[in-house]
Amino acid sequence: MPKWLLPEHISDLLPADARILEELRRSLLDLFRGYGYELVMPPMLEYIESLLTGTGSDLDLRTLKLVDQLSGRTMGLRADITPQVTRIDAHLLNRSGIARLCYCGSVLHARPRGLHASREPILIGAEIYGHAGIEADIEICEMALGALAQAGAGSVRIDLSHVGIVRALLASAGIAGDAAAEVVAAVRRKDVAAIRASSALDVDARSAFEALCGLYGDASVIERARNALPADATVGRALDDLATLAASLPTARVTVDLADPHGFQYHTGLTFAVYCADWPAAILRGGRYDEVGRAFGRARPATGFSLDLRELATLLPDPAPRFAIRAPWSDDAALHALVRALRAEGEIVIQDFPGHEHDPDEFSCDRNIVRTAEGWQVRSLEQPARA
């Protein structure tokens, strides 16, 4: 086997793609900072108990594991970053008030999430800890939509849901464990036939879950749900939160899918997914996960979102070429001073090495530095140098 081959679903980022991702990273982190989010950088690997705390079995299956030769304990290469940020909030920062944290880094998946998905996504995200109110959910959704707009993702749709509704219906029916997992899976598939055939559901519960499967569409779904679902205080509060969140996004295209209990084992309240026209799955997901910190000994209200920069980059139009200035190689001090001054102003200046004056690269040189009677000067390619 050739030594240069990489594992399946693992790839290099070549210069143009790497530049796009790096510029996206910088742009989005600057956006988050404008909201007051602080950057954290968790390690790539940790003891497996910490990485999988409070995350359910899905993350366990995606986590690559190895044995630490120093301690003999099992370690994992992170498949998600949110549990690490939760650990940082709970045990390192240990703040009593609100903490706004953001991150960006690679994760590794034992198996790809889709046919064309990378096993090394580059996740960027933001989290709010310490506030249980709807205000945190509004800020997170606003910032998620702002991130995609700033990246140039084009027309998007934000789909809202609330896992608290499914939890409340299960609790009312007295269903837990494997039976609950089967019902949740049927709801996610909108499989009314499976719900009708479920022996775990009584007549009332079967009717409620059947109704739930049909509650998706525009924001009017929220009011339809008040009549279609059983009168329950928890369900009522969840619908109130959904209505408030939908109303807070007046310029966004908002849909609601109450039969989308995505992340049921992990999320605790409002959830959302953002879709783009040219991508078959959600490009960004987020929601509330108030209970994750409990496993670290400090339960805190929390909500946030993340997205894969590799996926986002595939949705963006080809960037305009980066224009640069081409300069000759010389030991002339005046030329070096000019090159330094131009780079300090933000210009890209590429000096040609002898014998390599026309090597191609990702930059489009539209100007040259030429020697004139007045000294070294920058001239456009159409502008001839004066002797």
Side-chain angles (χ1 to χ4, degrees):
M1 178 180 294
K3 295 181 180 179
W4 51 266
L5 283 181
L6 294 174
E8 290 186 64
H9 296 272
I10 298 290
S11 62
D12 294 303
L13 284 171
L14 300 182
D17 293 331
R19 175 173 62 83
I20 292 171
L21 262 68
E22 175 59 15
E23 290 179 352
L24 274 176
R25 185 191 70 84
R26 295 180 190 178
S27 173
L28 297 187
L29 288 179
D30 284 346
L31 172 69
F32 300 163
R33 186 170 181 81
Y35 280 78
Y37 286 72
E38 300 171 275
L39 180 65
V40 293
M41 295 181 177
M44 177 62 75
L45 74 168
E46 294 191 36
Y47 292 125
I48 199 69
E49 298 86 354
S50 176
L51 279 181
L52 301 182
T53 294
T55 59
S57 60
D58 181 54
L59 196 64
D60 186 13
L61 295 174
R62 286 190 281 126
T63 300
L64 288 162
K65 304 174 181 69
L66 64 155
V67 175
D68 180 13
Q69 295 188 18
L70 295 180
S71 67
R73 295 174 59 184
T74 301
M75 304 179 75
L77 293 166
R78 67 186 182 194
D80 192 9
I81 301 180
T82 297
Q84 297 182 294
V85 181
T86 302
R87 173 182 56 76
I88 288 172
D89 173 72
H91 284 292
L92 298 183
L93 296 180
N94 202 30
R95 296 171 181 171
S96 58
I98 293 173
R100 290 178 169 90
L101 304 176
C102 61
Y103 58 84
C104 184
S106 292
V107 300
L108 290 171
H109 291 168
R111 293 178 178 272
R113 301 194 70 161
L115 182 62
H116 301 293
S118 171
R119 292 169 60 193
E120 189 189 4
I122 301 174
L123 296 187
I124 188 167
E127 321 284 341
I128 298 178
Y129 296 92
H131 186 68
I134 190 67
E135 298 83 2
D137 303 278
I138 292 172
E139 179 173 297
I140 279 292
C141 286
E142 176 187 299
M143 200 165 69
L145 292 172
L148 293 175
Q150 181 158 306
S155 177
V156 301
R157 169 175 62 89
I158 183 167
D159 194 55
L160 308 180
S161 191
H162 199 303
V163 298
I165 294 175
V166 176
R167 291 182 186 276
L169 295 179
L170 290 171
S172 178
I175 303 172
D178 292 341
E182 290 178 5
V183 172
V184 170
V187 170
R188 182 179 290 117
R189 299 191 307 268
K190 297 178 175 58
D191 189 346
V192 174
I195 291 171
R196 289 173 179 168
S198 174
S199 59
L201 300 175
D202 60 25
V203 173
D204 291 338
R206 191 175 297 118
S207 175
F209 282 108
E210 281 187 40
L212 192 66
C213 288
L215 290 172
Y216 58 91
D218 61 25
S220 66
V221 165
I222 299 170
E223 295 309 312
R224 284 170 43 206
R226 296 187 191 277
N227 298 320
L229 297 178
D232 179 276
T234 301
V235 171
R237 286 192 297 271
L239 293 173
D240 290 342
D241 284 346
L242 282 166
T244 301
L245 180 56
S248 75
L249 305 170
T251 62
R253 183 187 172 200
V254 177
T255 57
V256 177
D257 186 355
L258 301 187
D260 179 21
H262 181 83
F264 178 79
Q265 294 179 312
Y266 178 71
H267 288 294
T268 59
L270 283 162
T271 62
F272 60 94
V274 182
Y275 295 86
C276 298
D278 298 324
W279 195 253
I283 193 66
L284 179 155
R285 284 193 179 272
R288 186 164 283 280
Y289 54 100
D290 292 344
E291 299 300 319
V292 173
R294 185 179 303 280
F296 291 109
R298 189 167 180 254
R300 294 247 286 166
T303 184
F305 71 87
S306 67
L307 63 95
D308 178 6
L309 287 182
R310 286 180 183 264
E311 289 185 348
L312 178 59
T314 65
L315 296 175
L316 305 183
D318 292 336
R322 293 294 303 273
F323 292 109
I325 301 170
R326 191 172 293 280
W329 184 262
S330 171
D331 58 2
D332 190 310
L335 173 62
H336 285 288
L338 177 58
V339 168
R340 286 195 298 270
L342 289 168
R343 288 172 176 163
E345 293 171 1
E347 294 281 5
I348 299 169
V349 182
I350 302 171
Q351 287 192 276
D352 288 326
F353 294 150
H356 297 272
E357 287 79 4
H358 302 290
D359 282 357
D361 51 47
E362 69 165 308
F363 301 102
S364 176
C365 292
D366 62 339
R367 290 155 292 167
N368 285 339
I369 295 179
V370 297
R371 191 196 297 270
T372 70
E374 292 83 14
W376 294 101
Q377 293 187 354
V378 178
R379 297 294 177 88
S380 66
L381 293 181
E382 295 79 18
Q383 184 179 5
R386 289 183 291 128

